[in-house]
Amino acid sequence: MSSSPSSTAPQPLQGNTLWLAALVLAAANFVAVLDTTIANVSVPNIAGGLAISSSQGTYVITSYAVAEAITVPLTGWLAARLGTVRLFIGSMVLFGLFSLLCGMAGSLETLVLFRVLQGLAGGPLMPMSQTLLLRIFPKEKTGAAIGLWSMTTLIAPIMGPILGGVLCDQVSWPWIFWINVPITMLCGYAGWQLLKSQESLREKIRVDAVGLGLLVVWVAALQIMLDEGKNLDWFNSVEIIALAVTAAVGFAAFLIWEMTERNPVVNLRVFRHRGYWASVLTISLAFGSFFGATVLTPQWLQSYMGYTATEAGHATAMSGILAVLVAPLVAQLSTRVDPRPLVFMGVMWLGGVTLYRSFSTTDMGFWQVALPLLFQGVGMPFFFVPLTGLAMASVEPQEMAAAAGLMSFMRTLSGAFATSLVTTAWDDKASYNHADLVGSLDSTGSTLRTLRDSGLSIDAATAQLGQMLQSQSIMLATNQIFWLTGLSFVVAACAIWLAPRPTRVADTSQAH
């Protein structure tokens, strides 16, 4: 074992120094969470700027999410090898550097590459910011530390769509990445000055390189297959078949290796607890449904409802307002009552609102779009907060860190997979609806005659009919996706009853 420069116990921070360090850690968490949503409303602008389709533009979201998810299981090993403070500061600086390069990218390929690197750098920021907050705060102020960390986790997803929309409309899409640079560099410098005395001991721990390699192979193969399937005509393509086989074989090999490895990169043994695997199944289905609908909404609003990026950002961010207000109440309830009914009600509420949204029309106003999203926010804390507590209460105390990391991995991965599935299904259903509607469009010719009588030329009248057809095809496809997403929420809500009633309340401070 080799120790860090200071082998004595770190002295606790006091007064203004403590709160300055807390603000730096909270800002780091804020930036990491912000980047999971800031690109959602920016996809049409990025697609236009790089001359690609909107479905290809979603690679910017999925590549970041997958890379971030892969880094999570490695965080504990990296912290042991490098030290928690070095890992935190290094991740922060690299996150800023790759953000700079993302904004400078001139093609989809380079942007996706830098987003992958940004995700790899950003993965440790959330768990490390939480770990260091708990380390620097005295035991009696632990509640304040968790409250500060949780507040940035809740507020960042609200600010992401708004900030992304404003930057795209007022400046240009690269600024959604460049805005990270001054924040990360300032936090990196200030964080080192304030926290270097809190560095942990370093240990030479062997990493499960085979398990990590298999994890990267099957996750990357599956994600690329989902992203490229529509473009390559799915299983009529040799590449898609090869990716599917690689993902299946890689996943099987990963399971076998991790179950037999003494120090696995992902501790799959925690799935032996019924409460844990039921919680992970619920959160994967529910978060995937939520994230898929969240990615689809701004694309639909900007591309087919005439919204600017700013307006789409304001509408999308509505879902976070009531979530922030309700979260403290849910946190209190989840420690006093059986969390399963809370989770069931919360996820069913999300499903009900999403099913209500499946009756949208092309002539809806802003508030008809935004109000359901506002009330949807009520259900979010009811599903997320008690579910985390239930999962952690289902495992042994010494397994909590591994269980929290694996749960975060599955949640993030489900969001990436759902984004690919939703955007692919949206395009496919729009094409099907277009073909279905074209046969019944103005079969008598009366609409075309009315347009001609209004002074339009035959070409202009035909073009307007085509635009109406495309608009209705997309609207039907959007409603169909919302309907399927709503049903997925219902399945997720029912899945929570597979978990037994918890016998204890867990300390969720290690969850992220």
Side-chain angles (χ1 to χ4, degrees):
M1 178 186 296
S2 62
S3 66
S4 59
S6 174
S7 58
T8 58
Q11 295 298 313
L13 302 181
Q14 302 291 336
N16 292 337
T17 305
L18 174 64
W19 287 105
L20 280 174
L23 286 174
V24 168
L25 293 167
N29 185 55
F30 181 86
V31 168
V33 178
L34 184 79
D35 262 62
T36 62
T37 59
I38 195 170
N40 289 358
V41 298
S42 313
V43 167
N45 298 74
I46 294 172
L50 298 179
I52 56 176
S53 66
S54 288
S55 61
Q56 289 176 307
T58 58
Y59 298 173
V60 176
I61 299 170
T62 58
S63 58
Y64 178 85
V66 169
E68 186 183 54
I70 287 173
T71 314
V72 168
L74 276 178
T75 301
W77 177 78
L78 288 169
R81 288 300 298 262
L82 303 175
T84 51
V85 176
R86 283 187 181 84
L87 175 60
F88 173 74
I89 300 299
S91 296
M92 175 71 73
V93 172
L94 287 173
F95 187 87
L97 172 63
F98 294 130
S99 295
L100 175 67
L101 294 173
C102 283
M104 296 170 64
S107 68
L108 177 64
E109 292 77 14
T110 53
L111 178 55
V112 168
L113 171 62
F114 293 137
R115 276 290 272 178
V116 167
L117 295 172
Q118 187 191 33
L120 292 174
L125 285 179
M126 286 179 66
M128 283 299 98
S129 63
Q130 188 180 29
T131 299
L132 287 167
L133 266 174
L134 291 171
R135 178 178 297 172
I136 66 174
F137 272 78
K139 282 288 184 184
E140 64 273 15
K141 294 183 179 179
T142 298
I146 293 296
L148 180 63
W149 188 87
S150 300
M151 194 55 63
T152 56
T153 305
L154 288 169
I155 293 175
I158 304 175
M159 292 299 299
I162 297 173
L163 190 58
V166 170
L167 290 172
C168 283
D169 283 342
Q170 302 301 321
V171 199
S172 59
W173 68 262
W175 281 94
I176 69 171
F177 303 115
W178 288 342
I179 194 173
N180 294 331
V181 178
I183 299 172
T184 53
M185 295 306 156
L186 178 62
C187 286
Y189 174 77
W192 179 249
Q193 297 301 319
L194 293 165
L195 296 168
K196 59 185 176 182
S197 64
Q198 306 298 306
E199 185 60 282
S200 62
L201 296 175
R202 287 178 286 161
E203 303 175 67
K204 289 185 177 179
I205 300 176
R206 185 180 67 87
V207 68
D208 175 19
V210 174
L212 176 62
L214 290 171
L215 174 68
V216 172
V217 166
W218 79 259
V219 169
L222 182 57
Q223 186 62 53
I224 294 169
M225 184 190 81
L226 294 174
D227 282 340
E228 289 293 316
K230 180 176 65 67
N231 299 329
L232 299 176
D233 198 21
W234 289 104
F235 292 100
N236 291 320
S237 162
V238 175
E239 292 116 280
I240 294 299
I241 293 173
L243 286 167
V245 171
T246 302
V249 173
F251 179 65
F254 172 77
L255 288 179
I256 294 168
W257 180 269
E258 293 299 275
M259 291 300 291
T260 55
E261 168 66 17
R262 180 177 295 179
N263 296 302
V265 69
V266 177
N267 183 11
L268 299 177
R269 296 180 184 89
V270 294
F271 280 120
R272 73 184 186 278
H273 303 288
R274 181 157 61 98
Y276 180 76
W277 67 253
S279 299
V280 170
L281 175 63
T282 302
I283 201 169
S284 297
L285 287 171
F287 188 79
S289 304
F290 171 75
F291 201 76
T294 301
V295 170
L296 177 63
T297 298
Q299 289 192 57
W300 161 56
L301 293 177
Q302 290 178 79
S303 301
Y304 299 99
M305 295 290 283
Y307 281 54
T308 64
T310 303
E311 291 167 340
H314 283 135
T316 307
M318 285 287 178
S319 62
I321 295 174
L322 291 180
V324 170
L325 298 177
V326 173
L329 169 65
V330 179
Q332 292 293 322
L333 276 175
S334 61
T335 60
R336 297 176 182 176
V337 301
D338 184 350
R340 294 175 302 169
L342 297 179
V343 175
F344 178 78
M345 289 187 296
V347 178
M348 285 295 285
W349 178 267
L350 293 173
V353 172
T354 307
L355 289 172
Y356 173 81
R357 294 180 67 202
S358 69
F359 296 96
S360 300
T361 63
T362 54
D363 58 356
M364 292 171 67
F366 175 85
W367 286 108
Q368 289 172 294
V369 173
L371 281 177
L373 291 171
L374 175 67
F375 289 111
Q376 177 181 270
V378 173
M380 289 166 59
F382 277 95
F383 113 78
F384 189 75
V385 177
L387 194 56
T388 302
L390 177 60
M392 295 302 102
S394 302
V395 302
E396 301 297 329
Q398 66 271 19
E399 295 176 322
M400 279 192 184
L406 182 53
M407 192 174 188
S408 178
F409 168 78
M410 292 297 296
R411 184 185 73 233
T412 307
L413 208 60
S414 67
F417 289 167
T419 298
S420 298
L421 291 171
V422 162
T423 51
T424 297
W426 191 45
D427 286 344
D428 289 345
K429 288 187 176 296
S431 300
Y432 177 84
N433 293 334
H434 191 282
D436 193 45
L437 291 173
V438 72
S440 58
L441 177 68
D442 197 28
S443 55
T444 63
S446 59
T447 306
L448 186 61
R449 283 194 298 272
T450 302
L451 291 173
R452 292 290 309 280
D453 292 342
S454 68
L456 294 177
S457 65
I458 182 66
D459 290 339
T462 303
Q464 188 161 336
L465 274 178
Q467 187 177 0
M468 291 167 56
L469 176 64
Q470 178 66 8
S471 178
Q472 290 303 316
S473 300
I474 290 293
M475 189 70 263
L476 284 172
T478 304
N479 286 342
Q480 289 160 350
I481 295 299
F482 285 153
W483 176 258
L484 292 172
T485 303
L487 293 180
S488 180
F489 274 123
V490 172
V491 173
C494 295
I496 194 58
W497 295 111
L498 295 171
R501 184 185 179 93
T503 56
R504 63 186 176 87
V505 176
D507 173 15
T508 59
S509 63
Q510 297 185 74
H512 49 266

